[in-house]
Amino acid sequence: MKIVKVENLSKVYGKGSTEVKALDNVSLSIEKGEFVAIVGASGSGKSTLLHLMGGVDRPTSGRVMINDTDIFQLNNDKLAIFRRRQIGIIYQFYNLLPTLNVEENITLPMELDGRKVEDGELDDILKLLGLTKRRKHLPNELSGGQQQRTSIGRALITRPALILADEPTGNLDSKSSNEIVELLRKSNREYNQTIVMITHNLEIAKCADRIITIEDGRIK
Ligand SMILES: Nc1ncnc2c1ncn2[C@@H]1O[C@H](COP(=O)(O)OP(=O)(O)OP(=O)(O)O)[C@@H](O)[C@H]1O
Ligand SMILES: [Mg+2]
């Protein structure tokens, strides 16, 4: 069963002389339970594609189906709810809320959805991510890697069917990188979560079931 279907997706930023075609008529599909890596040069359109698959931005043309929902047919409010329930996004630049501490950032998607975090679950995630001692710290009191791990916790806490990860190990040393990829692999296997992960690291890409290469906004 396909969980993601991307059809003829294009995204153009700017107008006239500053116009950039970041995605050029991209079509692809992802099976439920697949672990896919997206690779490509800087500026090739990887983050743009991931943001569109996650419904955090709207395309210039084309569509994205997630579990048979045509997500851009939803209005902004419905799309936000859909995203919160179905998708976990790990952003390249973390997008943590500066006034919330580590545990508040991680539990935010549950809070927004009026869901309760099970006893011990937050502790488990903090432990898994090596953030137990930093749980009360604000983002500006954390290293880049700790902020990255916080954003991973926030994407995992809802146990979403689909996890979209933009360079989830971009700011981590090789030991922590391997641990994060192992963690994603485990979520993939144990909870049958579908994972789409952007990476510049070919060793990490090799852990995936399939590698998609993007070049100048197109799939190679
Ligand atoms: N908000 C924006 N406004 C204008 N142009 C943008 C915007 N976001 C991205 N772009 C342009 O779209 C193209 C694709 O950007 P994107 O962020 O998707 O690349 P990427 O493959 O994720 O690169 P990187 O590996 O450096 O993160 C780039 O040429 C970029 O300059
Ligand atoms: Mg990017």
Side-chain angles (χ1 to χ4, degrees), residues 11 13 20-24 39-49 92-93 166-167 198 200 214-218:
K11 177 74 181 180
Y13 291 110
V20 175
K21 199 164 205 180
L23 271 193
D24 188 5
V39 301
S42 177
S44 57
K46 305 181 298 297
S47 293
T48 304
L49 174 61
Q92 188 169 12
F93 303 109
D166 196 346
E167 294 275 0
I198 294 175
H200 274 109
I214 302 201
E215 201 176 279
D216 290 333
R218 290 167 171 263

Side-chain angles (χ1 to χ4, degrees), residues 51-106:
H51 291 164
L52 292 173
M53 284 202 262
V56 287
D57 195 8
R58 287 182 183 265
T60 306
S61 59
R63 61 177 196 166
V64 173
M65 311 280 295
I66 308 271
N67 273 333
D68 291 324
T69 299
D70 188 346
I71 62 170
F72 297 117
Q73 294 297 318
L74 302 174
N75 66 29
N76 286 346
D77 290 347
K78 288 217 168 92
L79 181 55
I81 293 168
F82 180 86
R83 198 165 61 220
R84 206 184 293 142
R85 296 194 178 151
Q86 310 275 342
I87 307 172
I89 305 180
I90 302 165
Y91 292 93
Q92 188 169 12
F93 303 109
Y94 325 133
N95 277 2
L96 299 175
L97 290 184
T99 57
L100 300 185
N101 67 28
V102 166
E103 60 183 31
E104 290 164 343
N105 263 292
I106 290 178

Side-chain angles (χ1 to χ4, degrees), residues 1 27 36-37 54 57 59 61 105 127 145 159 173-174 180 195:
M1 190 205 144
S27 298
V36 176
D57 195 8
S61 59
N105 263 292
K127 195 163 162 228
R159 298 224 184 285
D173 55 62
S174 61
I180 293 299
I195 302 190

Side-chain angles (χ1 to χ4, degrees), residues 2-4 28-32 34 36 53 194 196 210:
K2 294 194 185 348
I3 187 167
V4 181
L28 60 90
S29 55
I30 295 170
E31 295 288 331
K32 188 160 172 45
E34 234 189 329
V36 176
M53 284 202 262
T194 306
V196 182
R210 175 159 62 113

Side-chain angles (χ1 to χ4, degrees), residues 155-171:
L156 295 178
I157 191 100
T158 60
R159 298 224 184 285
L162 177 63
I163 295 176
L164 304 174
D166 196 346
E167 294 275 0
T169 63
N171 246 306

